[in-house]
Amino acid sequence: MDLSAPRAHGPVSIRLVRSRDARVLQNELLSNRSWLRRWEATNPDGAVSFDMRLGIRRLLQQYRDGTSVPFVMQYGSEVAGQLNVWGIARGSLSSAMIGYWVSERFAGRGITPTSVALATDVCFGELGLHRMEICIRPENRASLRVVEKLGFRYEGLRRRFIHIDGDWRDHYAFALLREDVPQGVLQRWVSGHAPRDAAVVPPADRIPTPGP
C-alpha cells in the first residue's frame, strides 16, 4: 500500500515522514522541551541517545515491515508535529494504536483532531483495519479533548501502562471500530454527528488530576 501521498483537510495535512524531515523535527522537539517532556515516552532502563535521523530510519523500516505508519503533521507548508500509527496487527486482531505530538506554537488550531481523523480514515479505508485505539494520560486534557471531539469510545483504565517522563503512568483507553464510522471519522466530525458523550470516563475510573 502506497501511503506517500498527503491526506489533507483545509490547511492540515498528514504525510509519511521523510529522512530530510530529521532536522526540522529535531529542532521542533528541542524547542518544545518544556511543552512535550511531560508526555514523552521514556525508557525504564535509562536514558537513550536522541538521534532523529536514526529514529526516522527505524520508523521507515517499521513502515516497510507493515507494523507502523509514521506521519508528519503539517499546517500549510510547516511541520507541526508527528503522528505515528503503531502496533499494527493483522489477522484476527486487525488493529493499531495512535500516538502523536504537536508543537506548542501550533496548539489550538485543530491540527491534532484533524490529523487523528485523517489517519484513522486511512487505517480503516486503505489499510483495512478494524479497530483503532488511543491511550491518554488522565492529566493530558488537550488529548482528552481530541477523543471527545472525534467520538472515540472510552474503554477502560490501564494502570501503569506506559513509561512516560520517568515513571510508569496510568492511561485511559479509547477506541473506534470501523463499523462505528461508515461515513469516515473526519466526515462524521465535521458534519457534527460525532457522539458527544462516548469518551466520558465513568466516576469509578476517574483519577484526580491537578488543577489548571
Side-chain angles (χ1 to χ4, degrees):
M1 176 69 67
D2 182 11
L3 300 179
S4 57
R7 274 68 172 172
H9 176 72
V12 179
S13 63
I14 59 172
R15 61 166 174 80
L16 279 179
V17 69
R18 300 185 290 242
S19 297
R20 62 178 178 269
D21 292 321
R23 177 175 293 180
V24 65
L25 286 172
Q26 183 153 328
N27 288 340
E28 289 294 334
L29 285 170
L30 291 175
S31 63
N32 279 267
R33 295 311 301 146
S34 60
W35 168 257
L36 295 173
R37 184 180 290 112
R38 190 179 181 192
W39 317 117
E40 284 183 345
T42 46
N43 188 336
D45 298 322
V48 295
S49 61
F50 180 72
D51 185 335
M52 182 56 71
R53 292 184 184 277
L54 177 60
I56 289 176
R57 285 200 295 270
R58 288 173 175 167
L59 287 172
L60 290 174
Q61 183 59 55
Q62 291 167 6
Y63 171 63
R64 290 188 289 270
D65 293 340
T67 61
S68 77
V69 183
F71 289 111
V72 163
M73 298 189 289
Q74 291 194 169
Y75 190 78
S77 61
E78 293 188 87
V79 170
Q82 285 182 274
L83 183 152
N84 194 32
V85 177
W86 60 281
I88 295 176
R90 295 292 184 173
S92 58
L93 198 55
S94 189
S95 67
M97 302 183 74
I98 289 178
Y100 48 79
W101 63 264
V102 67
S103 296
E104 185 175 13
R105 64 194 179 99
F106 290 104
R109 303 190 192 185
I111 295 170
T112 304
T114 304
S115 298
V116 170
L118 288 167
T120 304
D121 283 343
V122 167
C123 290
F124 286 157
E126 299 179 59
L127 299 183
L129 298 179
H130 175 250
R131 182 180 184 275
M132 298 299 296
E133 181 174 316
I134 300 178
C135 291
I136 301 171
R137 286 184 59 184
E139 304 90 343
N140 195 337
R141 295 176 180 174
S143 278
L144 291 174
R145 287 194 292 271
V146 170
V147 291
E148 290 167 2
K149 289 177 181 179
L150 298 181
F152 273 70
R153 179 179 54 257
Y154 177 74
E155 291 205 335
L157 173 63
R158 296 192 174 186
R159 293 283 186 184
R160 297 175 60 80
F161 179 53
I162 303 176
H163 201 272
I164 290 180
D165 192 24
D167 202 357
W168 295 103
R169 309 291 182 176
D170 296 338
H171 282 68
Y172 295 144
F174 304 86
L176 273 182
L177 305 179
R178 184 167 53 188
E179 56 264 34
D180 293 334
V181 283
Q183 72 275 52
V185 183
L186 181 66
Q187 180 58 35
R188 187 177 72 162
W189 175 42
V190 299
S191 66
H193 293 142
R196 296 180 179 272
D197 59 354
V200 172
V201 177
D205 284 358
R206 290 177 192 165
I207 295 175
T209 58

